[in-house]
Amino acid sequence: MPQRSGLLIIDLQYGFSPKPDLVERIRDAAQDYSVVVATRFCNPPGSLFRTRMNDGNDGGSLIDVGHEVIIDKPGYGLNQAAIAVLREFTEITEWGLVGSRTGACIMACGFSLWDAGIPFHVIRHLCAAEDGPLCEATSTILQRQFGV
C-alpha cells in the first residue's frame, strides 16, 4: 500500500467472534500501512442497542492486530469525535476499511466517512461478511452508494 493510505479496522473484538484466519489476514495486511486505527464498539447504558434491540453486547476487548490508535464507537457509524481523530492524520489521503459486521458497521462507517468527505475503499477479503442475501445486498449498496 502507498504510504499515504491508512487502515481503519472496524470493531475487530473478541465478543464478535471473528474467524481466526480473518484476524491473521488483517494482522498481516496492517504491516503494509503507515497508519493503523481500530474502532471499538461500546454499548453505553441507555443506548438504542440496549433499549430497542435488547442487546447488551459491547463487543468486548479489541483484538490486537498492530493498531496505534483506538477510537471508541457507541453506534454503527463514526461520530464527530471519531472523524476528528481520523482528520488528525493529515498525511493519509484514503482509508482502507476492514473488520467485523460488514452489513452494519462497515457500511455505516462508509456513510460516515463519505458524509465527512474522507475518501475510503472497502477491502472486502478482509471483512467478515454476512451470509446469503444480506451479503449480496451489502455489496450492492457499497457499490451503488460509494463505488467501492
Side-chain angles (χ1 to χ4, degrees):
M1 265 305 117
Q3 286 298 319
R4 299 182 56 99
S5 292
L7 188 65
L8 183 57
I9 303 168
I10 308 299
D11 304 345
L12 195 64
Q13 295 169 253
Y14 288 103
F16 297 137
S17 304
K19 293 181 179 175
D21 69 309
L22 174 66
V23 173
E24 287 308 312
R25 286 185 286 130
I26 291 173
R27 185 175 284 124
D28 290 344
Q31 296 174 24
D32 296 333
Y33 288 83
S34 59
V35 174
V36 180
V37 174
T39 68
R40 174 176 46 214
F41 174 70
C42 311
N43 193 356
S47 74
L48 290 176
F49 292 103
R50 291 179 189 274
T51 61
R52 295 196 71 188
M53 298 177 72
N54 199 28
D55 183 354
N57 184 10
D58 68 359
S61 300
L62 276 179
I63 298 171
D64 184 3
V65 292
H67 50 272
E68 297 102 33
V69 175
I70 299 170
I71 297 172
D72 285 333
K73 188 170 73 58
Y76 289 120
L78 301 168
N79 60 21
Q80 290 304 311
I83 295 295
V85 169
L86 295 176
R87 288 191 191 282
E88 290 177 17
F89 297 101
T90 56
E91 74 279 14
I92 301 301
T93 58
E94 185 167 351
W95 291 92
L97 271 59
V98 304
S100 296
R101 298 190 174 196
T102 306
C105 295
I106 290 177
M107 190 177 328
C109 289
F111 276 102
S112 300
L113 292 169
W114 184 270
D115 289 347
I118 298 174
F120 71 94
H121 58 279
V122 177
I123 306 171
R124 286 203 170 93
H125 72 279
L126 297 178
C127 295
E130 319 295 355
D131 292 329
L134 187 54
C135 181
E136 294 170 28
T138 298
S139 289
T140 299
I141 292 168
L142 288 169
Q143 182 62 43
R144 184 171 293 153
Q145 299 306 123
F146 311 120
V148 299

